[in-house]
Amino acid sequence: MKRNTYLTLLPPDEARNLWFSKLNAHAHNLTEETVPLTRALHRVLSRPVAALRSSPAFHGAAMDGIAVNAEDTFAASARNPLRLAIGKAAHWINTGHPLPDGCNAVIMVENVNTETVGDVQWAVIEKATFPWQHVRKMGEDMVATEIILPPGVCIGPYDLGALAAGGVLEVPVFARPRVAIVPSGSEIVPLNQAREEDLRAGRVLPEFNSLIFSAMITEAGGDPVTLPVVPDEPEAIAAAVTAALGALNTVEAGTGPGIESGARSGVDAGAGAGAGTGADAITGAGADLVILNAGSSAGSHDYTAHVLESLGEVLVHGVSVMPGKPAVLAVVRGKPVIGVPGYPVSAGIAMEEFVLPLLALWQKRVATEREKATAIPCNPLPSRPGMEERLRVKLGRVDGTIVAVPLPRGAGTITSLSRADGIIRIPRDSEGCDAGEPVTVDLLRPQAALDNALLAIGSHDNTLDLLDSLLRKTHPRFRLTSAHVGSLGGLMALGRGQCHLAGSHLLDAASGVYNRKAIEENLEEPVVLLRLVDREQGILTAPGNPLGISGIEDLAREGLRFVNRQRGSGTRVLLDYRLACLAIAPTRITGYRDEEYTHMNVAAAVLSGRADAGLAVRSAANALGLPFVPVGVEEYDLVIPRRFYKTPAMQALLDVIRSADFKQAVTALGGYGTEKTGQIIWEYAGR
């Protein structure tokens, strides 16, 4: 098979317009169907819908009181109260009831006194009313034949109420665009078939992109169906695409590349669980759109572009956006086919750039745009010119300013999206932006979530995630969002006013005291030093500790591969301190410059065999079942500016830190001490 090469990289907008133009997407008409209101939520109207009746259908009371003819009350005053006979000139009425004949106003019950003379009850009023006061006039909400909703509206709960009020019990909607998802890859297996031993050995990869695609398509008003996984064989890929485009009605149970709808069969739509059964197989003229994942890059086993070229016309192979570059846009049998990259972040961006706008266009509506805000990066955000970059960031509002902390940039790190609060778009003609330079961020969470979030920047510890979970459980209004840049990086962020608190465990080699000297050297404002945990640091080794590592001195062995924490982290400071005590030069340790940003990533590097040893906390070793050689117990503290200490969010966090639930959960992780948890260790007056 000939090796693929990228065509000229096009900006996303230009690539999308070229694809849409070739498809004549603006003129594409989805079929129409009629559905009852009970099944109309989130469906898109295909035609304008008019009221079949007026609402209200009569003149009705808007208040409890008496219904009167307004003209009869014009002479009423406090000096000359007016008396109207109830049952003749005045009528008791409740809210919502129709007005009696001859009445055109309602006087509220609290403005009415009553008198009884003989058998007659009189309403006594001291203030005139005017025509139609406190009355809901017929047609006040809508008038019969008036358009209630225009086409292209995605029907929401209030829309359902408006339609019902207008007597509309069923509505014309676009048939959901059918989108077929073709997962491909010889190493890919459905989620329910991924065995742990095969995953760890690197023999297989679990297929979950289709799960993401299905959710995105469903939210966009489409009907996703997922083919079984096909191997990296051009013939198999071509057969699956062909079946998806036009032969869905010929698929029989257990034969061929059947398509299965997870929503209809009860099988996970993202699992690629095999051919559909007779009842579940989709029938009809085929999919409106096909998504082929993966194989869209330019490697020797990436066949997407070649296969689509053999079946139709490839318009775009490669777009100038990172992640998402290896996208393929094609037209086969007059229908759109897109090849999206295998890495989940790249795939998600390709979906947002090309698939979701196409589905919106077909349904005659505007694609949903995220709310935007201005943020200040806490550190420089370099980028490569010539490619537009989508950078995922954590966000927090500090002193009225939204601060952005970048997350890992890897195209395969799906958690960089699930944990992100926003996305910064760095233009293709830019080399990035400087720390403190205002940037526009697309929000993935509402502004209120940022307002009630505490932003922690500094050293990583597994207890921070636990703390956030308990905070959300006990104080749902607040959350803790943390970014891991090392202890020193956290103190520097505090000094710049870019976070609410910082995790730190910086050891002063001269005094043997944690954090105080670093605080005095880096901070000017008053802070509180609060103990979170005492934690055990040590060396993580491969299962069984095959190299017999027993202490720091063994890290300098010839041939031993080490994985380190990043510069500025407290763990790195501890290692350097212990190496200095042993008179071991860092250059003697292979892998000293191989850095990871979290304890769990260190543990993963050792478990995977990338390294023979790494320095991390015991809880990380326990989590992945690795041997642990103790090195010492250190103090992990939270540095909290005095001005934030009394805020409601911080007090809620302190309640959780000092709770029995938190201490018990921390103890269960292993390797932690909680004797001083929640105690103020030291108060710094500032300088």
Side-chain angles (χ1 to χ4, degrees), residues 42-65:
H42 299 156
R43 298 299 299 270
V44 180
L45 286 175
S46 56
R47 287 185 283 115
V49 178
L52 299 180
R53 62 172 177 242
S54 298
S55 177
F58 53 84
H59 301 319
M63 296 286 181
D64 296 335

Side-chain angles (χ1 to χ4, degrees), residues 282-603:
I282 305 301
T283 61
D288 297 294
L289 165 67
V290 176
I291 300 170
L292 182 53
N293 179 239
S296 65
S297 192
S300 59
H301 288 83
D302 291 322
Y303 300 124
T304 293
H306 176 83
V307 167
L308 296 183
E309 197 169 43
S310 71
L311 296 175
E313 181 181 4
V314 172
L315 301 171
V316 175
H317 185 196
V319 291
S320 56
V321 63
M322 291 174 52
K325 173 184 172 183
V328 180
L329 305 179
V331 178
V332 179
R333 298 185 181 180
K335 292 184 177 181
V337 180
I338 178 172
V340 298
Y343 283 132
V345 180
S346 293
I349 288 177
M351 290 284 294
E352 290 190 358
E353 285 292 336
F354 304 110
V355 173
L356 301 189
L358 181 61
L359 296 180
L361 187 62
W362 280 350
Q363 297 171 85
K364 316 303 180 190
R365 61 187 181 88
V366 177
T368 302
E369 290 192 8
R370 296 188 176 109
E371 183 183 0
K372 299 184 185 299
T374 300
I376 302 296
C378 72
N379 45 20
L381 304 177
S383 187
R384 188 175 74 190
M387 297 289 290
E388 180 181 322
E389 185 171 8
R390 308 293 170 80
L391 188 62
R392 289 80 70 197
V393 293
K394 289 266 195 178
L395 299 172
R397 193 184 299 277
V398 184
D399 292 331
T401 299
I402 297 177
V403 178
V405 186
L407 287 161
R409 295 187 173 190
T413 53
I414 185 62
T415 54
S416 70
L417 280 174
S418 65
R419 295 173 179 171
D421 299 313
I423 295 177
I424 294 174
R425 297 172 180 245
I426 300 180
R428 64 195 300 250
D429 58 354
S430 170
E431 295 184 356
C433 53
D434 296 328
E437 176 185 346
V439 294
T440 299
V441 58
D442 296 341
L443 297 180
L444 299 177
R445 308 189 195 281
Q447 289 263 15
L450 304 183
D451 295 338
N452 292 320
L454 289 170
L455 179 60
I457 299 179
S459 172
H460 168 256
D461 190 79
N462 293 343
T463 58
L464 293 177
D465 293 332
L466 178 62
L467 193 54
D468 177 48
S469 297
L470 290 174
L471 178 64
R472 295 183 190 222
K473 179 180 178 181
T474 57
H475 300 275
R477 176 184 167 193
F478 304 114
R479 66 191 183 101
L480 175 68
T481 183
S482 57
H484 315 308
V485 299
S487 297
L488 184 57
L491 294 182
M492 294 175 69
L494 271 182
R496 295 190 296 264
Q498 294 177 334
C499 59
H500 299 101
L501 68 162
S504 181
H505 57 113
L506 288 169
L507 175 66
D508 175 36
S511 65
V513 176
Y514 279 90
N515 295 320
R516 300 189 187 189
K517 183 177 180 181
I519 289 173
E520 291 173 338
E521 291 177 345
N522 291 279
L523 298 180
E524 295 183 357
E525 69 171 313
V527 299
V528 171
L529 189 65
L530 184 102
R531 177 64 43 81
L532 186 61
V533 289
D534 294 305
R535 63 183 192 177
E536 198 172 5
Q537 288 267 26
I539 302 171
L540 281 59
T541 76
N545 193 5
L547 299 181
I549 298 171
S550 60
I552 293 289
E553 60 278 4
D554 293 328
L555 301 180
R557 285 188 200 168
E558 184 176 352
L560 185 145
R561 298 164 302 157
F562 181 70
V563 60
N564 207 350
R565 287 293 306 279
Q566 81 276 19
R567 284 170 291 181
S569 70
T571 301
R572 178 74 162 260
V573 171
L574 175 63
L575 174 65
D576 291 345
Y577 171 71
R578 297 299 296 271
L579 291 176
C581 292
L582 296 169
I584 298 175
T587 53
R588 292 177 53 192
I589 299 178
T590 302
Y592 179 84
R593 298 189 183 280
D594 183 6
E595 300 178 346
E596 289 291 353
Y597 278 77
T598 72
H599 295 277
M600 293 303 295
N601 283 348
V602 169

